[in-house]
Amino acid sequence: MNIEIEKNGSTKPVLLYITDGYPFKYSEVFPGDELPFLAECNWNIYLLPILKKNNEASIVPPSVTMDTCLVASKKQKLLFFFSFQAIKLLLQEYKSYKGKPAKVRLKAALGAIATALCAKNNLRKFINKHSLFKRPLVVYTYWYNSTAFGVN
């Protein structure tokens, strides 16, 4: 994938639209509404799902590029379970529940942490691979879950 350089030497800004899953069905109504509008702008838009939910195709405007680089395999996630970052985040999650009636859901917390760390790592690789750090760049997600958790 080549980055387009405009005639005047400047580059188009880039929008990395990170979504929970693709193809999106009933749980994600925003991309279906937002992408056609955003596609009319003079930006390079990449739709980057964190999860691949099913095999049904959703319509993506022609000027939007869908890339599954953030979708992590179980093996990739497993490698992050034992990282310093994962342990640190798990301890933070545990501390946030201290003194509250709700209990830490360990399996869900580990899954979210692994997904977030894989997404963060893969996003960094994607940005470097396409030299996007040299261009105006917006990273957007509307979910406050492991997607947002890993992007910061």
Side-chain angles (χ1 to χ4, degrees), residues 3-4 12 16 29-30 32-33 36-37 39 48 103 109 112 139:
I3 303 301
E4 300 173 18
K12 285 185 178 181
L16 301 181
V29 295
F30 301 113
D33 294 336
F37 172 77
L48 306 172
K103 294 183 179 181
V139 179

Side-chain angles (χ1 to χ4, degrees), residues 50-51 69-90 93 105-123 145-147 149-151:
I50 298 282
L51 306 168
C69 66
L70 301 186
V71 177
S73 67
K74 288 182 181 181
K75 182 179 177 183
Q76 285 177 310
K77 290 179 185 181
L78 188 60
L79 294 174
F80 281 97
F81 278 146
F82 303 106
S83 69
F84 173 75
Q85 288 177 313
I87 294 167
K88 180 180 170 188
L89 292 170
L90 187 60
E93 182 71 10
R105 295 178 28 221
L106 186 60
K107 186 176 178 181
L110 283 172
I113 288 168
T115 298
L117 292 176
C118 285
K120 184 177 184 175
N121 184 54
N122 291 344
L123 181 60
N145 60 8
S146 58
T147 304
F149 185 61
V151 172

